[in-house]
């Protein structure tokens, strides 16, 4: 049996281990494999992307669930794949073309798409390989792409089916338009952010010269497209004016003043300019009142059909119009005004609402079953609070604009006949018009919103539209793991499409996690330059450290903060396991795996560690079942670091180095059993570390990822479920901690021997401590230990329930010097506390500092006050000796 290397260097083995897993097809399964089906489809990362901290969290949580279910014996499938990311990918290639002095229009659609596919083949697999460095145990043999042949067939079938049912239609509507990406966007692709702007009050005169109406607007440049002014029908200020004709300043267009209940009487002057071609609400009013739609802003954000303003950028036009209105006496006043402004979620350009012909999905019919699925419990959100958000959105859903003015993506399967004008929608390419038989056809140029193909992901990846064995076996999938930021983009649409085309929800549960933020709680972004590259973390600390840091900071649905110090802590944990395992392997070289101890061979420490292990198997499994992965990881940390390494292994050394052969065999059996079980318990969280160590253990075969996940039944012969064992151990370890704390407070090395006196008021406690006093000597370096009825002289102590613990100071410290040392430390802590208190009493600091920084200062003050109290108490004790 060989040992592991002296130092923990994950860079030396993680890549090799992953290659072996993949080579041995450990991630692969088939539809006819044994076990209950358990399937997760990966939220497909953009093909343009590279691994970021959000991916790292998402994949870590999924991989923990997948590895756990695989070890449970389930037929486990983790389906990987990438998204074609229409806008993002096209932008990458267009940027490349600009560098070459050309553009997509010069290349033409066919050649441009060849370039995009070439780019995808060159760069598109980067994120898949990065996911491997994280340890993701996806079934890579099944890797999919949203524009591969199978997914494309699914998209066509679904589109045509919805169209034939009247659920997809083509119509003229106001849509969100990004002038930079030059495409329409759906409502949820628009991010609304508060901006400081202005409210311009403009005078619109009546045609008959009888006066004017003042309207208020945040966008004066759109007035060139005004075709009416609206007031509320109950607004007494304007009732007598409804029906009169106004003259549009600068344009001289005649237009009506009409009443509509949409108008907010309290906003501005209560009279609003109506621009049906450039505002969604104005568009609806325009339809109700038969207003003309005058488009004055182009797809590129420039003015069109706007007289002398034609060709100007929309914001340059705003400046000139304001100047002209002021010169003409039409500008009444300007007010500061904060309002929400829509931005493109991709490039952050301000959205322009434009009237255009687009393709839409009727959502109300599809939304109703998706709402009922959650209300009936067929689909559950974890945590449950996201159910309300999901339902509220679906109950107020608007039709989904699915067409995009791009070339990269699923081209809409519609053909127009240039001779008879009819349109044909078909799963197969159309070469002849079915209406007039002409071959003079042109295909719809628009492509589908990327989220359309993503909405089919849970069943398209399993083989749909074919009825494959995988589709029958693994659909519905088991759980979707995703961030709360795409519940609307993706989750709700998958549920609607799954119910529509498979008759069942696409997954039983949706496990929602939060965002990974920086140390100050800010979202990681390029503009703040606060992002952390997971690959960099893996290269420095190893994948297991990153995974463990991410999961231990996670609670369902909540954001977590990235701290380098927590990565260091996770690496320290890995290092602790490594060193402990190396020590055990050194002492298991001639271990007899056939040896089985009798109950009489087991000491209290042996029975205690087995009982702790059995309990943690149950609680970790329970937390995994409830998606409390962070709590499961915390419990594993506590079991391994404190129970096993700090206490049991230290206690085991006495027998390991002793001369009693049977005692040595017993403790080696316990060490080997606990270590092997703990490695299996920890494997889903830290796969690489657990694999390499377990391979070195005696009498172990095969990969740990295919081993059985621990159950309490495995330890049935070794545990007695005796509360007295835990009670005795708690008493001993609490006594150890107290002795260590007393030494620490006095600045004494924890490994320095010290005389200890125990005053025990409970006879049963005394018996336990006497029988196991060697544990106190081993763990707390307490020697000699005496039991007394009275408090000893010249000693410092602490009280536990039923036990008073005293450290004899004679020969251990110089009391006067110790008082001086503690007094000096007390002065330092008081000064620090005074400085912190002063900061917290400073109104300027409280008003300007981020809330997180203020809270840190408050926490610092509380800790300082506790330290002051402890030091004062300790000084008083020493002075009274």
């Amino acid at each position: 049996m060989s040992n592991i290397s002296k130092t923990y260097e994950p860079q030396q083995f993680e890549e090799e281990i992953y290659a072996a897993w993949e080579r041995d097809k450990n991630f692969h399964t088939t539809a006819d494999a044994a076990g209950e089906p358990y399937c997760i489809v990966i939220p497909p990362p953009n093909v343009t992307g590279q691994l970021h901290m959000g991916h790292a969290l998402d994949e870590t949580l999924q991989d923990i669930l997948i590895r756990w279910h695989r070890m449970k014996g389930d037929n486990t499938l983790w389906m990987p794949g990438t998204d074609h990311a229409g806008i993002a990918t096209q932008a990458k290639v267009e940027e490349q073309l600009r560098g070459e002095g050309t553009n997509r229009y010069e290349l033409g659609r066919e050649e441009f798409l060849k370039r995009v596919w070439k780019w995808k083949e060159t760069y598109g697999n980067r994120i898949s390989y990065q996911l491997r460095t994280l340890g993701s145990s996806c079934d890579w043999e099944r890797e999919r792409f949203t524009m591969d042949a199978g997914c494309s067939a699914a998209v066509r079938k679904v589109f045509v089916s919805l169209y034939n049912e009247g659920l997809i239609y083509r119509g003229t509507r106001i849509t969100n338009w990004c002038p930079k990406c030059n495409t329409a966007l759906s409502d949820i692709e628009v991010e609304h952010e508060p901006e400081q702007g202005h409210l311009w009050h403009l005078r619109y005169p009546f045609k008959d010269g009888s006066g004017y109406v003042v309207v208020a607007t945040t966008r004066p440049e759109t007035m060139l497209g005004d075709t009416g002014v609206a007031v509320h029908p109950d607004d007494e200020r304007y009732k007598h004016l409804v029906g009169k004709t106004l003259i549009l300043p600068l344009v001289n267009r005649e237009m009506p003043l009409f009443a509509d209940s949409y108008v907010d009487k309290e906003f501005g002057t209560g009279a609003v300019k109506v621009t049906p071609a450039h505002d969604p609400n104005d568009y609806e009013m325009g339809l109700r009142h038969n207003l003309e739609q005058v488009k004055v802003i182009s797809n590129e954000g420039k003015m069109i059909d706007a007289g002398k303003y034609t060709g100007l950028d929309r914001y340059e036009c705003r400046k000139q119009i304001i100047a002209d209105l002021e010169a003409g006496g039409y500008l009444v006043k300007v007010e500061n005004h904060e309002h929400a402004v829509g931005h493109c979620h991709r490039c952050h350009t301000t959205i322009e609402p434009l009237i255009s012909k687009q393709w839409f999905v009727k959502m109300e019919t599809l939304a109703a079953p998706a709402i009922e699925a959650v209300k009936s419990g067929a689909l559950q959100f974890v945590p449950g609070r996201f159910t309300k958000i999901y339902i509220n959105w679906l109950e107020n859903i608007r039709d989904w604009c699915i067409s995009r003015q791009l070339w990269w993506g699923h081209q809409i399967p519609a053909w127009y006949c240039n001779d008879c004008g009819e349109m044909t929608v078909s799963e197969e390419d159309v070469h002849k018009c079915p209406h007039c038989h002409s071959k003079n056809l042109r295909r719809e140029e628009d492509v589908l919103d990327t989220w359309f193909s993503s909405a089919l992901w849970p069943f398209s990846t399993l083989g749909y539209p074919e009825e494959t064995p995988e589709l029958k076996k693994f659909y519905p999938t088991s759980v979707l793991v995703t961030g709360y930021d795409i519940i609307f983009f993706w989750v709700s649409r998958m549920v609607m499409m799954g119910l529509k085309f498979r008759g069942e929800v696409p997954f039983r549960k949706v496990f929602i996690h939060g965002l990974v933020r920086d140390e100050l709680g800010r979202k990681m972004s390029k503009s703040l330059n606060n992002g952390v590259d997971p690959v960099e973390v893996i290269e420095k600390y190893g994948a297991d450290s990153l995974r463990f840091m991410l999961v231990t900071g996670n609670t369902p649905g909540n954001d977590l903060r990235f701290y380098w110090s927590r990565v260091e802590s996770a690496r320290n944990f890995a290092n602790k396991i490594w060193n402990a395992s190396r020590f055990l392997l050194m002492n298991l070289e001639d271990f007899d795996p056939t040896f089985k101890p009798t109950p009489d061979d087991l000491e209290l420490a042996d029975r205690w560690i087995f009982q702790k292990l059995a309990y943690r198997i149950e609680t970790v499994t329970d937390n995994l079942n409830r998606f409390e992965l962070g709590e499961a990881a915390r419990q594993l940390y506590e079991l391994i670091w404190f129970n096993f390494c700090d206490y049991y292994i230290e206690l085991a050394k006495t027998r390991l180095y002793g001369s009693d052969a049977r005692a040595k065999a017993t403790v080696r059996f316990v060490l080997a059993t606990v270590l092997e079980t703990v490695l299996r318990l920890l494997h889903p969280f830290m796969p690489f570390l657990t694999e390499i160590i377990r391979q070195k253990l005696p009498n172990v075969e095969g990969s740990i990822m295919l081993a059985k996940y621990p159950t309490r039944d495995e330890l049935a012969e070794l545990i007695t479920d005796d509360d007295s064992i835990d009670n005795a151990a708690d008493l001993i370890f609490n006594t150890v901690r107290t002795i260590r704390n007393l030494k620490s407070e006095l600045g004494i090395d924890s490994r320095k021997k010290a005389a200890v006196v125990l005053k025990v008021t409970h006879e049963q406690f005394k018996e336990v401590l006497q029988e196991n006093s060697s544990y106190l000597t081993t763990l707390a370096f307490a020697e000699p230990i005496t039991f007394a009825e009275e408090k000893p002289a010249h000693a410092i102590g602490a009280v536990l329930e039923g036990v008073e613990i005293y450290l004899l100071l004679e020969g251990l410290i110089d009391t006067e010097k110790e008082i001086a040392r503690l007094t000096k430390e007390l002065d330092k802590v008081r000064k620090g506390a005074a400085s912190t208190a002063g900061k917290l009493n400073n109104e300027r600091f409280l008003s300007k500092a981020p809330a997180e920084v203020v809270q840190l200062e408050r926490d610092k003050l509380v800790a300082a006050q506790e330290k002051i109290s402890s030091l004062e108490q300790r000084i008083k004790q020493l002075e009274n000796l």
Side-chain angles (χ1 to χ4, degrees), residues 584 588 591-593 595-597 602 609-610 613 617 644 648 665-681 697-698 700 710 714-715 718:
L584 296 192
L588 292 175
F591 172 67
D592 178 7
F595 174 81
K596 294 290 185 290
L602 300 177
I609 194 63
F610 279 136
L613 179 57
I617 288 171
F644 188 47
Y648 186 77
T666 297
V667 79
R668 287 164 120 194
F669 168 84
V670 177
L671 288 167
T673 302
V674 174
L675 177 59
E676 195 278 334
T677 308
V678 157
L679 290 173
R680 283 185 286 129
L681 201 58
L697 287 174
V700 165
E714 291 179 30
L715 303 174
L718 300 167

Side-chain angles (χ1 to χ4, degrees), residues 842-863:
N842 185 327
E843 286 299 325
R844 189 176 178 188
F845 170 74
L846 294 176
S847 62
K848 292 199 169 185
E852 299 85 1
V853 173
V854 174
Q855 189 57 49
L856 281 173
E857 292 299 317
R858 285 179 177 144
D859 293 344
K860 193 192 297 183
L861 182 59
V862 170

Side-chain angles (χ1 to χ4, degrees), residues 180-193:
K180 184 175 180 182
C181 296
N182 208 16
T183 184
L185 302 174
S186 68
D187 290 341
I188 55 176
E189 290 173 297
V190 179
E191 295 176 345
H192 292 275
E193 298 173 4

Side-chain angles (χ1 to χ4, degrees), residues 462-476:
L462 292 171
Y464 180 90
E466 302 298 323
E467 290 296 323
T468 62
E470 288 78 10
L471 189 58
K472 293 173 183 175
K473 182 76 171 182
F474 293 108
Y475 189 93

